[in-house]
Structure formats: structure tokens, C-alpha cells
Amino acid sequence: MRALIISNEAEEATLLSLLADWIGCEVVTAAGTREAMAQQALALSDVVVLVTVNGTALREVRRIRRETQAPLLVVTAGLSDELHTALLDAGADLGVA
């Protein structure tokens, strides 16, 4: 299984990469969705983990969904019920704070 981890924070990407590797995933990282698209990593991934801030989460989910239907986990701080619902409606499979 190939996991794509999208995070502009190197420490977060490293930690999530180690966890994904530990469970047997091939891991690819990108600093943002634009970088992931440039690498064509979205189309080649079996699962996508997006680490983002609330202000861009919905836009990023919509951008990712235009490229892939792979399961999408969104990790963001301070996830409100309204944003959580909007993320799920936009195509995220799971949102966690």
C-alpha cells in the first residue's frame, strides 16, 4: 500500500511517515497539494493523509478530490463540528483534530 503524506511541517511528515512505514506502507511525502500534483503522487497513492490548518482544509480537500478517490484522512487542529461536516461533504473520509 502506498501512503501519501501531505504536510508543510517536516516534523509532522517525518512522524507520520515513520508510523505508515511501521505498518508496512510505502511512503511518499509532499509539502503541499501542489507539490503532490506535480509529482503525480495523488494519482499513484492508495491512501492520502493531509495535515493542514483549518483555513485551507476545505480548499485542499476539494483539490485532492479532483485528482483521486483514494481514502483521505484530514488532520487539523481545532476541528469544529461545522468544518468536520463540510470536510466530509467535500470528500474527506475522516477528519481528526
Side-chain angles (χ1 to χ4, degrees):
M1 177 180 282
R2 185 174 182 175
L4 170 60
I5 298 170
I6 302 172
S7 176
N8 63 359
E9 295 291 330
E11 290 177 7
E12 290 173 338
T14 299
L15 177 60
L16 291 169
S17 295
L18 289 170
L19 290 171
D21 182 62
W22 183 69
I23 62 169
C25 292
E26 174 188 347
V27 180
V28 176
T29 61
T33 53
R34 287 191 176 126
E35 181 179 317
M37 286 189 276
Q39 297 173 1
Q40 297 184 347
L42 285 168
L44 301 173
S45 298
D46 298 306
V47 63
V48 178
V49 179
L50 171 66
V51 182
T52 188
V53 295
N54 284 345
T56 63
L58 194 54
R59 182 181 67 227
E60 298 298 314
V61 166
R62 289 179 178 145
R63 185 177 291 153
I64 290 167
R65 276 296 168 237
R66 286 193 297 266
E67 300 292 323
T68 184
Q69 289 302 310
L72 172 58
L73 168 67
V74 180
V75 181
T76 187
L79 187 62
S80 68
D81 289 341
E82 294 81 17
L83 180 56
H84 189 233
T85 300
L87 290 171
L88 294 174
D89 288 344
D93 294 294
L94 180 63
V96 295

